[in-house]
Amino acid sequence: PTQLSKGVGSRFLSPDWVPDGDYIVVSRAAPRRGLEKLWLYHVDGGTGLEMVGGPGGMRLMGPAIDSEGRYVWHSQRNGTWSYNAILPQYQLWVYDRQTGTRTPMTDRYGSAFRPTLSPDGVWLAYGSRHDADTGIRLRRLDSGEEHWLAHPVQRDDQESTANMDVLPGYSFTPESDALVISYGGGIWRVPVDGSDPSEIPFTVNARVAVGPEVSFEYPIEDTPTFIVKQIRNARPSPDGSRIVFTALDRLYTATLPDGVPERLTDEEIGEFEPIWSPDGSSVAYVTWDDDAGDGHIKRVSADGGSPSTVTTAPAYYQQLAWSPDGDRIVAIRSSRRNVQEAIDPFIGLGLDAEFVWVPSGGGDLTVIGPTGGRQQPHFTSDPDRIYSYGRSRADPVVGSPADGPTTLALVSTRWDNTDVKQHLRVTARIDVSAGSVADGYQLSETSDLVMPQEFDEDGEARELIPERSAGLVLMAPQGD
């Protein structure tokens, strides 16, 4: 073998030949230069040339060059790894050697990594994850259409440091009609036409130490009935005699204090965030149907039965509030794609969230206005004002050129989202005794105040007390 690289302390991953056979591109982490970048080495050796660089914390791995030698595909992420990692961790990018530009080419929730290209330039294969299993995606480059070629394969290394790349290497056959890849303890030829993979036989002499089998029995209750360990969105009725809640994504009611829970509907879709009508005769709630990919606001008798759909258009509805006169239901609405295209479970209110209202008996929806960082709409006994909590900017003082300050506060508005009134802001000092203090300040030796390290010229100390706002503040139903 011939040594191509020079230097001490570098880390190299996933080399690939440039089509002319004179160069090799490889992921290299050079000492004191951050994480892996793409380097080019001549087959005769040398110091190498950084072909694709970037900030020290950006990681470029698994280069694959097209048959013309112009485009370099690679996976990219920020940092080496993250604790309690949430997908996605990697995505595919392309570097154009002719123009020097880089372009993102994937946006998959399961990540995208370890690309390889077919010799005829038709196919791109890369690793990704679906649910808990890793697989290989196959994309036709001229149309962008893609599908799973092999799933599942060997588990990827996304949650760890991937110090040998995220997935073992694999390659197309010279005819570009199949992928040769190892998984499941064997080497396989996987045809691109979707026909069954065939195992490539091989033998190896090895001595492998095998420890004792570790096996435990965990009893799983499979009786017709069982105790639910978690309920959500519990709401007492206006007279306090009953409670409605969600369990196992279905609505239940029970008489307080020890009544037997009963289903409110017989529908097989997700039922969430129930609220009572002011007179306690009905329950409104939001739904989400994974199969249809949509949600609605529905209403059902408090005694159960067939629900009616209040909304006419599907969306992602949340956080209902029934006006005290019983005429309208307020909700937060955002588009369905917030759920359908979510890359993680932390959707929040949605990117286009807005307050809306709909007649409690059903009908067309009316937009109140953007949530603007506010949430939890609710009422007192006054049907003319809608209360909410969150980021708020008070209306400016008449005659003043400046806008009101932005803060977290309990606010109320009219039904057209105007006349914003801030009612209450709740804050607390942050305990800095066990943590750090901002640069330029220090904890006072005689009090719990954070003081500047340097005083003003007149000797006055500019007191800085770090504060945090309350997570949620609500009005009592009667407004008292």
Side-chain angles (χ1 to χ4, degrees), residues 16-19 23-28 33 36-41 47-54 58 60 62-66 69-74 94-102:
D16 190 36
W17 286 99
V18 176
Y23 290 89
I24 289 175
V25 61
V26 65
S27 296
R28 176 195 177 194
R33 298 187 65 171
E36 292 89 342
K37 306 298 183 289
L38 302 188
W39 284 68
L40 200 63
Y41 285 89
T47 57
L49 174 69
E50 186 180 71
M51 181 170 62
V52 185
M58 186 170 68
L60 313 180
I65 304 181
D66 75 337
R70 175 176 176 177
Y71 297 104
V72 183
W73 290 70
H74 62 88
V94 163
Y95 172 69
D96 186 339
R97 297 178 68 193
Q98 191 171 99
T99 64
T101 57
R102 295 196 313 120

Side-chain angles (χ1 to χ4, degrees), residues 7 42 153 164 167 188 220 270 298 328 367 427 444:
H42 194 270
V153 297
M164 298 180 69
L167 200 65
W188 298 83
I220 299 176
K298 293 197 174 189
R328 293 184 274 192
V367 175
T427 61
S444 170

Side-chain angles (χ1 to χ4, degrees), residues 19-243:
D20 60 15
D22 292 332
Y23 290 89
I24 289 175
V25 61
V26 65
S27 296
R28 176 195 177 194
R32 298 180 300 278
R33 298 187 65 171
L35 300 177
E36 292 89 342
K37 306 298 183 289
L38 302 188
W39 284 68
L40 200 63
Y41 285 89
H42 194 270
V43 293
D44 293 335
T47 57
L49 174 69
E50 186 180 71
M51 181 170 62
V52 185
M58 186 170 68
R59 194 178 195 192
L60 313 180
M61 300 173 65
I65 304 181
D66 75 337
S67 58
E68 303 298 324
R70 175 176 176 177
Y71 297 104
V72 183
W73 290 70
H74 62 88
S75 61
Q76 177 179 316
R77 63 163 294 160
N78 290 322
T80 306
W81 71 292
S82 61
Y83 189 71
N84 285 342
I86 300 294
L87 297 183
Q89 294 287 304
Y90 296 84
Q91 298 295 348
L92 294 188
W93 287 65
V94 163
Y95 172 69
D96 186 339
R97 297 178 68 193
Q98 191 171 99
T99 64
T101 57
R102 295 196 313 120
T103 305
M105 300 301 289
T106 62
D107 186 21
R108 288 191 61 83
Y109 168 72
S111 298
F113 43 82
R114 201 59 194 255
T116 189
L117 298 160
S118 62
D120 62 6
V122 174
W123 302 106
L124 162 74
Y126 67 91
S128 186
R129 193 186 295 180
H130 179 68
D131 289 337
D133 294 321
T134 305
I136 301 297
R137 300 284 294 179
L138 186 67
R139 176 186 296 186
R140 191 175 179 93
L141 291 172
D142 59 359
S143 67
E145 294 295 322
E146 64 176 58
H147 60 272
W148 290 106
L149 178 64
H151 186 276
V153 297
Q154 177 171 321
R155 173 77 173 190
D156 62 67
D157 203 16
Q158 291 190 69
E159 284 86 356
S160 185
T161 58
N163 59 352
M164 298 180 69
D165 212 320
V166 190
L167 200 65
Y170 53 95
S171 182
F172 281 93
T173 57
E175 298 79 19
S176 301
D177 60 351
L179 199 68
V180 177
I181 184 172
S182 63
Y183 60 85
I187 301 176
W188 298 83
R189 183 182 188 276
V190 184
V192 299
D193 62 9
S195 55
D196 292 338
S198 57
E199 188 170 6
I200 300 174
F202 76 99
T203 58
V204 60
N205 295 321
R207 177 174 294 179
V208 181
V210 178
E213 180 183 7
V214 180
S215 177
F216 301 95
E217 292 186 358
Y218 295 96
I220 299 176
E221 193 173 2
D222 58 357
T223 56
T225 62
F226 58 92
I227 297 176
V228 172
K229 303 296 175 52
Q230 181 190 70
I231 65 171
R232 291 181 289 169
N233 315 131
R235 288 286 187 101
S237 60
D239 63 5
S241 65
R242 304 174 67 187
I243 190 170

Side-chain angles (χ1 to χ4, degrees), residues 54 113 185 272 423 440:
F113 43 82
F272 311 100
H423 298 280

